[in-house]
């Protein structure tokens, strides 16, 4: 399964969004332990801000571009199975 990733999460938009959200998680966690509500909510805003920044960067073209599955021997690597497969 090591080669099954199609670039999932390996984009500037994904890295930036996750790093900002992780910093927000650290800030919120630290201020929660210190019983500081304002600092906690600032951290929560950073978490949401990370998602927004990642989404904006993806819309600017810095996200993952959907690629069709590669063909091996004329057949797709992954094929959909019928919902109600007969046995």
């Amino acid at each position: 399964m090591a080669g099954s990733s199609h670039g999932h999460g390996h984009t500037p938009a994904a890295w930036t969004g996750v790093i900002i959200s992780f910093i927000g998680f650290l800030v919120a966690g630290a201020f929660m332990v210190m019983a500081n509500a304002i600092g906690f909510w600032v951290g929560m805003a950073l978490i949401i801000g990370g998602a927004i920044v990642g989404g904006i960067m993806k819309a600017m073209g810095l996200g993952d571009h959907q690629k069709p599955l590669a063909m091996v021997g004329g057949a797709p690597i992954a094929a959909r199975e019928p919902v109600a497969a007969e046995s």
Side-chain angles (χ1 to χ4, degrees):
M1 292 268 192
S4 65
S5 176
H6 295 286
H8 177 74
H10 301 288
T11 64
W15 278 99
T16 305
V18 169
I19 289 170
I20 292 172
S21 296
F22 182 69
I23 291 170
F25 173 77
L26 292 176
V27 169
F31 281 104
M32 183 173 61
V33 170
M34 291 188 277
N36 184 327
I38 294 174
F40 169 77
W41 287 111
V42 168
M44 296 301 288
L46 279 172
I47 293 171
I48 294 170
I52 292 169
V53 168
I56 290 170
M57 288 179 71
K58 182 176 179 182
M60 291 172 53
L62 296 171
D64 189 21
H65 302 290
Q66 296 295 325
K67 301 173 195 105
L69 292 175
M71 303 291 276
V72 175
I77 292 174
R80 291 182 171 229
E81 293 191 23
V83 176
E86 297 179 18
S87 47

